């Protein structure tokens, strides 16, 4: 495969890293390495210019890996379970026939689609259109539900629009005070660190809020080591001090927000003394942070999955947004709020219709005007569009319950990444048809009837939208290996096999973008002024960009928010308990998250030697107090048990974790998959699972 790729490689092509939302620019070059190729940071992309982290530097390893699926494969479940190579035509014909058979018996909604946030805007858009137009099913959702949906819901509620960051990264060095909560930037968006360090060099104060001491908290002036689940209590303490000491920005509140009375009422009981009692964070620290942030001339609040992946994730996020709003720190230089997006195209992936309730441009599928607009672009009658479906985890539950009998997965590995994943394993085995489009035989694909070889980032041209809301063009850098195909073509060809090809006629990917842009016109995430031509000339355009001569919108909310009255909404938050509080049977909190050298379900990074050797297995982090309590000796392991399962892990004893909390990364499957233990309780609004909190028992294993 290597030689085939090499001969087809263009001259020094450029691309963007496939992993996180920074989307650093890279160049692929010939090298002495055994693969014959290497990656260098690009000096041409304006974000994190000339920087790549370890993952980016090694991003070709999985692309060139011997495990890549190079032919369409099929098999029957039951014994014997081996894959057969099939032609693409045969695969499409068989899959279409089985889908049509199931739909004839059970109706169109018998099939679901499960997408991903690594896919280009074009492929995300096509997946949504494919589900509604080719399958005519209401059931589509994607892994972004696990990822940013709480921040998305909170931003929509507070601001009337959801663009992760309200300002470009270049505003970070202009901030005098930075609050970073539940976001481990140093390991998760490493090339963002220089923006923070520049702010620090210019005198900014940095506060981190996390149950662990992280690589990020190392650069903080104040680190608040909070037990998971206490963010809203703590923030109410900050808001209380700001209100009590009259540190709020009255004019901003008066002119640009609604809801301050309700907020004041909610935070009244949260005196710093009481918050100290509840959280263990000293009263003096609470006052210092509240005064410091409120009085600073400029400031930015950044949050991520730490406080979002909870049943109270939307409310937690709203409370952090309150901080920026009542101090007037938004819509001007050096100010803003940012939910730090996770996946490569986490931002664009949640705008163009692969969410259960959504049509392109962040339109709602239940809104008659939105249906009319999009149906017109798609050449169908609005009445043909299905209604809204259900969230990712609920879609998997519907498989377990038997309502959904066929599933297409493109760009995700839900067997590893879903909470309570024994349920998912059980559900996948019940499917009459599972089609997985991936580069590898993922854990999920073990239960597939068809495994179709899709494209990697290096092979697929398209647009992406980074964590700032900057839309940019990623060029094709390599030819496809073997008999694999572009995701874009796979979707259109399957639509054709289903007899709906007339709606999926595109001369090329740019054609798909043109249609996407038209479909978003007038929507919240308006891309209608963006063209491939403009993206070649400019280094990305920030949406909203509603006209060909519109420059894009790097800084949001300078004059108005996106609610119809132009005002932002403040919310009074009454902190609530997690779904599964600790008790005498399960006395410790399990929280989960990421390591610098692995990515998500690990499909790509576990196949990258340079990364995998730094973290070949998951290691549970526990505090010395807990180690002593369970009598942990040298060479012992720990058994972690929740109400859903029990697994054994290697252990690292560290002062850098809240004493009652255990941390385990989630990048592995099978006996190393921490999602066997996690809780599948969902936030009532965002339907995001509580990955960050469940109650566990911790025991020593000889
Ligand atoms: N190396 C690497 N980088 C990645 C990824 C990866 O898998 N690996 N994934 C990408 C994706 S998709 C995403 S979504 C982002 C995620 O980026 P982050 O959200 O920054 O990553 P996490 O490790 O999930 O969680 C962040 C922190 O939240 C803390 N935390 C846990 N519970 C709480 C709580 O109750 N309150 C607070 N305040 N903090 C809490 C954890 O200790 C952890 O340090 O990273 C992206 N970048
Ligand atoms: N316990 C716990 N669980 C979590 C989290 C947590 O913090 N704790 N975080 C959650 C979060 S934030 C996320 S984002 C999810 C993500 O979890 P998953 O959705 O499982 O994410 P990935 O591992 O990136 O899976 C992507 C799959 O798509 C394939 N792929 C990548 N790019 C392409 C492409 O362009 N085309 C095709 N066809 N395939 C492609 C990869 O090979 C891989 O198999 O995990 C969630 N699960
Ligand atoms: S910071 Fe993110 S986008 Fe940049 S190289 Fe690292 S993983 Fe890739
Ligand atoms: Mo994510």
């Amino acid at each position: 495969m290597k030689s085939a790729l090499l001969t087809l490689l263009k001259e020094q092509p450029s691309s963007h890293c496939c992993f996180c939302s920074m989307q650093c620019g890279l160049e692929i070059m010939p090298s002495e390495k055994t693969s014959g190729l290497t990656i260098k940071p690009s000096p041409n992309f304006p974000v994190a210019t000339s920087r790549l982290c370890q993952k980016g530097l090694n991003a070709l390893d999985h692309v060139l890996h011997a495990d890549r699926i190079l032919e369409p494969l099929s098999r029957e479940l039951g014994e014997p379970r081996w894959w057969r190579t099939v032609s693409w035509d045969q695969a499409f014909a068989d899959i279409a026939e089985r889908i049509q058979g199931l739909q004839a018996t059970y109706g169109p909604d018998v099939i679901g689609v499960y997408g991903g946030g690594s896919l280009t805007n074009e492929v995300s858009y096509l997946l949504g259109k494919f589900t509604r137009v080719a399958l005519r099913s209401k059931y589509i959702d994607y892994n972004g539900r696990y990822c940013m949906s709480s921040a998305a819901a909170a931003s929509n509620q507070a601001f009337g629009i959801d663009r992760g960051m309200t300002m470009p990264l270049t505003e970070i060095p202009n901030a005098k005070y930075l609050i970073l909560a539940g976001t481990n930037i140093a390991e998760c968006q490493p090339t963002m660190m220089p923006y923070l360090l520049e702010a620090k060099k210019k005198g900014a104060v940095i506060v981190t809020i996390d149950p662990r001491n992280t690589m990020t908290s190392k650069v903080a002036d104040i680190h608040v080591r909070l037990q998971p689940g206490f963010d809203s209590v703590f923030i109410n303490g900050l808001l209380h001090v700001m209100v009590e000491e009259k540190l709020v920005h009255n004019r901003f509140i008066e002119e640009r927000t609604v809801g301050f009375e309700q907020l004041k009422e909610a935070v009244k009981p949260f005196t710093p003394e009481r918050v100290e009692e509840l959280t263990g964070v000293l009263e003096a620290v609470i006052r210092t942070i509240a005064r410091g942030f409120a009085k600073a001339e400029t400031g930015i609040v950044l949050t991520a999955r730490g406080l979002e992946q909870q049943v109270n994730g939307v409310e937690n996020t709203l409370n952090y947004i309150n901080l920026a709003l009542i101090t007037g720190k938004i819509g001007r230089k050096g100010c803003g709020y940012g939910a730090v997006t996770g996946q490569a195209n986490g931002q664009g992936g949640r705008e163009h219709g692969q969410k259960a309730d959504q049509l392109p441009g962040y339109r709602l599928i239940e809104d008659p005007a939105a249906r009319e607009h999009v149906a017109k672009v798609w050449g169908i009658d609005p009445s043909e569009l299905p209604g809204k479906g259900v969230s990712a985890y609920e879609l998997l539950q519907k498989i377990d319950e038997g309502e959904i009998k066929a599933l297409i997965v493109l760009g995700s590995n839900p067997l590893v990444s879903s909470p309570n994943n024994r349920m998912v394993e059980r559900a996948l085995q019940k499917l009459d048809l599972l089609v997985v489009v991936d580069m590898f035989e993922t854990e999920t694909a073990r239960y597939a009837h068809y495994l179709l070889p899709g494209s990697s980032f290096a092979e697929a041209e398209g647009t992406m939208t980074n964590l700032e809301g900057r839309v940019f063009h990623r060029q094709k850098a390599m030819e496809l290996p073997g008999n694999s195909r572009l995701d874009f073509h796979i979707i259109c060809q399957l639509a054709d096999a289903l007899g709906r090809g007339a709606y999926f006629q595109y001369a090329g990917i740019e054609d798909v973008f043109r249609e996407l842009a038209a479909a978003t016109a007038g929507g919240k995430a308006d891309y209608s002024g963006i063209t491939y031509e403009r993206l070649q000339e400019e280094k990305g355009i920030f949406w909203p960009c509603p006209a060909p001569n519109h420059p894009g919108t790097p800084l949001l909310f300078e004059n108005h928010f996106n609610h119809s009255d132009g005002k932002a909404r403040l919310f009074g938050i009454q902190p609530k308990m997690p779904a599964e509080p600790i008790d005498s049977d399960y006395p410790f909190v399990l929280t989960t998250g990421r390591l610098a050298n692995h990515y998500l379900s690990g499909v790509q990074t576990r196949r990258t030697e340079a990364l995998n050797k730094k973290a070949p297995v998951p290691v549970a982090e526990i505090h010395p107090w807990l180690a002593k309590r369970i009598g942990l000796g040298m060479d012992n392991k720990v058994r972690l048990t929740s109400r859903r399962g029990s697994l054994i892990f290697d252990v690292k004893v560290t002062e850098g974790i809240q004493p009652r909390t255990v941390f385990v990364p989630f990048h592995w499957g099978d006996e190393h998959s921490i999602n066997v233990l996690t809780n599948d309780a969902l936030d009532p609004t965002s339907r995001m699972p509580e990955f960050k909190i469940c109650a566990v028992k911790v025991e020593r294993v000889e």
Side-chain angles (χ1 to χ4, degrees):
M1 189 176 99
K2 192 184 86 189
S3 58
L5 282 169
L6 279 180
T7 50
L8 294 164
L9 180 72
K10 295 199 283 176
E11 263 176 69
Q12 232 151 287
S14 75
S15 183
H16 290 265
C17 173
C18 55
F19 296 116
C20 87
S21 54
M22 287 295 288
Q23 284 302 289
C24 304
L26 58 83
E27 283 170 2
I28 302 176
M29 320 206 154
S31 89
E32 303 294 297
K33 282 187 173 178
T34 33
S35 72
L37 296 176
T38 193
I39 282 180
K40 294 255 155 63
S42 162
N44 299 319
F45 193 55
V47 185
T49 310
S50 297
R51 297 201 281 273
L52 287 173
C53 76
Q54 284 304 312
K55 288 190 300 303
L57 288 169
N58 291 290
L60 271 187
D61 284 41
H62 75 272
V63 173
L64 304 174
H65 200 279
D67 288 355
R68 277 267 320 247
I69 308 296
L70 300 175
E71 297 287 340
L73 302 173
S74 86
R75 72 172 162 212
E76 288 309 313
L77 290 188
E79 296 303 325
R81 284 187 49 189
W82 61 66
W83 288 112
R84 257 178 324 124
T85 300
V86 282
S87 70
W88 279 102
D89 284 349
Q90 190 67 51
F92 288 134
D94 292 350
I95 294 168
E97 194 189 317
R98 289 171 74 162
I99 291 172
Q100 284 164 338
L102 285 165
Q103 288 187 320
T105 315
Y106 301 103
D109 297 328
V110 73
I111 179 161
V113 173
Y114 198 107
S118 298
L119 309 171
T120 59
N121 289 318
E122 290 82 351
V123 171
S124 309
Y125 167 82
L126 280 177
L127 267 189
K129 180 177 174 186
F130 172 82
T131 308
R132 276 70 174 243
V133 176
L135 296 174
R136 295 182 247 209
S137 167
K138 66 179 174 189
Y139 288 129
I140 177 167
D141 212 57
Y142 79 122
N143 68 8
R145 185 67 69 172
Y146 295 168
C147 183
M148 286 270 312
S149 56
S150 289
S155 293
N156 278 320
Q157 288 182 16
F159 307 135
I161 195 172
D162 157 36
R163 202 186 77 188
M165 297 186 81
T166 67
M167 69 293 163
L169 287 167
T170 45
E171 289 306 328
I172 291 177
N174 298 325
K176 298 275 176 239
Y177 210 104
L178 288 149
I179 294 182
L180 316 178
T183 175
N184 185 6
I185 291 168
E187 296 196 64
C188 296
Q189 292 82 15
T191 62
M192 199 202 288
M193 285 310 281
Y195 294 94
L196 296 172
L197 294 171
E198 196 184 330
K200 195 174 162 87
K201 208 162 108 194
K202 288 164 73 176
V205 174
I206 300 184
V207 174
T208 49
I209 303 167
D210 196 300
R212 303 183 299 141
N213 298 359
T214 60
M215 299 283 281
T216 314
S217 69
K218 280 197 178 140
V219 309
D221 300 274
I222 305 174
H223 176 51
V224 178
R225 205 176 64 184
L226 209 60
Q227 181 170 320
F230 282 86
D231 287 87
S232 278
V233 173
F234 176 70
I235 295 307
N236 274 357
L238 298 184
L239 296 168
H240 176 102
V241 174
M242 291 175 185
V243 172
E244 181 201 57
E245 299 189 4
K246 303 199 168 32
L247 303 173
V248 301
H249 193 311
N250 286 315
R251 195 160 53 86
F252 189 92
I253 292 172
E254 175 73 18
E255 290 172 6
R256 303 206 49 192
T257 71
V258 181
F260 187 53
E261 287 309 312
Q262 185 207 1
L263 180 147
K264 272 201 312 205
E265 235 3 79
V267 305
K268 207 177 258 169
F270 290 86
T271 60
E273 299 75 18
R274 176 154 175 250
V275 173
E276 175 176 332
E277 263 168 44
L278 292 169
T279 62
V281 183
L282 298 179
E283 181 195 331
V285 172
I286 297 164
R287 289 195 189 276
T288 304
I289 298 171
R291 289 170 189 157
F293 184 74
K295 288 181 184 168
E297 185 191 321
T298 53
I300 287 176
V301 179
L302 298 178
T303 64
R305 305 310 81 74
L307 51 107
E308 270 181 72
Q309 289 171 329
Q310 303 190 14
V311 288
N312 305 310
V314 176
E315 295 196 339
N316 289 341
T317 312
L318 284 170
N319 227 8
Y320 278 99
I321 293 175
N322 282 336
L323 284 177
L325 287 173
I326 70 163
T327 59
K329 287 191 173 53
I330 198 155
R332 59 187 173 90
K333 277 195 84 60
C335 292
Y337 164 75
V340 183
T341 294
Q343 299 180 83
N345 196 28
Q347 179 70 51
R350 66 179 190 269
E351 299 165 357
H352 301 302
Q354 54 172 337
K355 240 176 157 170
D357 61 348
Q358 201 195 53
L359 289 171
Y362 229 121
R363 287 186 156 94
L364 293 178
I365 202 163
E366 308 268 91
D367 168 14
R371 294 170 70 86
E372 193 165 329
H373 175 86
V374 175
K376 198 164 162 210
V377 175
W378 289 352
I380 59 171
D381 192 87
S383 64
E384 290 177 59
L385 280 173
K388 69 174 176 189
V390 295
S391 75
Y393 189 76
E394 291 166 294
L395 199 150
L396 299 168
Q397 282 175 321
K398 285 197 180 290
I399 298 172
D400 190 39
E401 291 155 8
E403 185 181 335
I404 296 177
K405 298 182 189 299
L407 181 72
I408 299 174
V409 178
L410 196 155
S412 180
N413 185 16
L415 178 50
V416 174
S417 52
S418 300
N420 184 23
N421 62 12
R422 292 234 165 101
M423 183 291 283
V424 179
E425 186 158 31
R426 188 174 68 218
L428 294 179
Q429 293 177 60
K430 294 182 184 171
L431 282 166
D432 288 330
L433 176 67
L434 174 59
V435 180
V436 172
V437 184
D438 207 293
M439 296 172 276
F440 300 103
E441 184 177 357
T442 61
E443 285 80 358
T444 304
R446 287 182 197 157
Y447 298 102
H449 304 88
Y450 291 86
L451 175 53
L452 306 180
S455 40
S456 82
F457 77 99
E459 299 134 14
E461 179 190 7
T463 62
M464 308 284 281
T465 305
N466 80 348
L467 78 176
E468 303 169 296
R470 181 195 302 262
V471 185
F472 65 92
H473 177 257
R474 184 184 75 195
Q475 59 170 309
K476 169 181 165 176
M478 286 180 170
E479 295 300 334
L480 285 157
N483 201 5
S484 55
R485 290 195 178 172
L486 294 175
D487 298 333
F488 146 53
H489 285 149
I490 297 171
I491 297 169
C492 295
Q493 288 158 2
L494 188 53
D496 194 39
L498 287 159
R500 303 290 278 175
Y503 299 95
F504 294 84
Q505 296 296 322
Y506 302 101
I509 199 76
E510 184 173 356
D511 233 13
V512 181
F513 186 83
R514 273 192 216 106
E515 189 184 280
L516 175 158
T520 67
K524 278 185 186 175
D526 193 331
Y527 283 39
S528 60
I530 305 177
T531 58
Y532 268 36
E533 204 180 346
R534 281 187 73 181
L535 293 180
Q536 306 303 329
E537 287 160 17
E538 299 170 39
K539 303 271 164 80
I541 298 172
F542 289 76
W543 71 260
C545 178
N549 56 357
H550 189 285
T553 318
L555 186 64
L556 291 175
F557 315 140
E558 277 186 275
N559 304 309
H560 61 85
F561 292 93
N562 288 60
H563 288 298
S564 53
D565 59 3
K567 294 187 178 186
R569 301 288 182 272
L570 295 165
F571 289 83
I573 302 300
Q574 313 279 356
K576 298 191 190 77
M577 296 290 274
E580 194 178 68
I582 54 176
D583 56 25
S584 52
D585 291 336
Y586 297 94
F588 303 105
V589 182
L590 170 69
T591 195
T592 62
R594 291 155 170 81
L595 301 177
N597 288 299
H598 276 293
Y599 190 69
L600 301 180
S601 75
V603 174
Q604 291 149 293
T605 51
R606 282 185 269 132
R607 290 183 168 85
T608 305
E609 204 195 325
L611 300 173
N612 196 51
K613 72 179 183 204
K614 293 186 184 153
V617 290
V619 177
E621 294 176 18
I622 67 169
H623 193 271
W625 169 82
L626 177 53
K628 197 170 160 204
R629 213 174 123 139
I630 62 170
L632 192 81
M634 296 278 278
D635 300 328
N636 284 173
K637 296 191 178 206
V638 287
R639 173 179 286 283
L640 303 181
T641 307
S642 78
R643 288 188 174 80
R644 291 151 296 277
S646 183
L647 294 175
I648 294 172
F649 291 96
D650 288 351
V651 62
K652 174 177 154 196
V653 179
T654 164
E655 295 272 352
I657 186 161
Q658 197 278 337
R660 285 201 163 267
T661 305
V662 183
F663 173 83
V664 181
F666 78 102
H667 310 293
W668 288 267
D670 301 317
E671 76 281 7
H672 288 143
S673 178
I674 194 61
N675 275 326
V676 169
L677 274 66
T678 49
N679 191 0
D680 57 9
L682 307 179
D683 179 286
T685 306
S686 69
R687 318 306 286 165
M688 186 166 189
E690 190 149 74
F691 289 118
K692 290 293 188 265
I693 305 176
C694 76
V696 288
K697 244 192 296 246
V698 184
E699 293 158 306
R700 170 174 67 101
V701 180
E702 299 282 343

